[in-house]
Amino acid sequence: MALDKIDRKILTLLQRDATMPVAEIGRKVGLSTTPCWRRIQKMEEDGIIQRRVAVLDPVKVNVGVTVFVSVKTNEHNDSWMRKFSGVIDEFPEVVEFYRMSGDVDYLMRVVVPDIGAYDTFYKRLISKINLTDVSSAFAMGQIKYTTALPLDFAIISDDDK
């Protein structure tokens, strides 16, 4: 779906604060409330806006340790990948999970309270599925984190070209 400048402005505002009232969004993008609301609803219907969530402080909910877990496997088939994905779904500590190219087959971002909790996670994981190699890297500090996607690459409608 092509987005015009107003759609991109709306998305920028919503990515910063999804609780912003529609009237305020409309005011900031130069629309009245109803047309602004229609645009938001259309972007929700089209799947551009997938959901609205609250971003929590990991330290305040006791998951301040971030671990990047690299996994290698000798199994490279759809059946095993579905099984592995199902196993990972059982672990709320895994907040991101990717199939990779290169030396690592899968990469996970895991959040836990401490190293002991990570060790418990690791033992539960390896008891559920056979993995060739698991390597863990503990983040020493977070330098940048955002949930906002860049909109510079969005398909621009013909009206804005």
Side-chain angles (χ1 to χ4, degrees):
M1 176 185 165
L3 302 172
D4 66 15
K5 287 179 186 173
I6 294 173
D7 290 332
R8 292 193 308 276
K9 286 179 183 178
I10 290 169
L11 291 172
T12 297
L13 292 168
L14 286 173
Q15 285 190 110
R16 273 192 221 132
D17 181 3
T19 66
M20 185 181 293
V22 176
E24 185 177 344
I25 294 169
R27 209 171 22 258
K28 289 184 178 203
V29 302
L31 292 175
S32 63
T33 303
T34 301
C36 184
W37 179 242
R38 283 191 197 121
R39 283 177 178 255
I40 293 169
Q41 284 183 315
K42 175 85 167 101
M43 288 188 282
E44 288 175 337
E45 290 166 7
D46 291 344
I48 293 168
I49 300 172
Q50 294 181 346
R51 62 188 179 274
R52 300 183 200 198
V53 299
V55 179
L56 307 180
D57 181 327
V59 172
K60 291 180 180 174
V61 294
N62 198 30
V63 288
V65 174
T66 298
V67 188
F68 293 93
V69 182
S70 302
V71 174
K72 292 181 183 180
T73 180
N74 290 327
E75 299 286 335
H76 298 280
N77 59 68
D78 191 55
S79 173
W80 189 89
M81 185 174 68
R82 280 195 315 266
K83 179 181 178 188
F84 186 36
S85 181
V87 166
I88 296 305
D89 283 344
E90 298 174 24
F91 290 89
E93 302 95 330
V94 178
V95 294
E96 294 180 70
F97 179 43
Y98 301 92
R99 188 170 56 90
M100 305 295 290
S101 66
D103 293 337
V104 172
D105 296 312
Y106 298 91
L107 180 66
M108 295 180 274
R109 185 167 72 92
V110 175
V111 294
V112 290
D114 53 39
I115 292 173
Y118 175 73
D119 188 46
T120 301
F121 161 84
Y122 173 78
K123 289 174 183 173
R124 285 177 28 233
L125 176 65
I126 62 172
S127 75
K128 293 183 176 281
I129 193 155
N130 188 27
L131 303 170
T132 303
D133 183 47
V134 179
S135 177
S136 306
F138 288 79
M140 300 300 293
Q142 187 177 71
I143 296 168
K144 179 180 178 179
Y145 173 78
T146 182
T147 60
L149 297 176
L151 298 173
D152 298 340
F153 304 103
I155 297 171
I156 299 169
S157 71
D158 290 335
D159 298 339
D160 282 351
K161 289 184 180 176

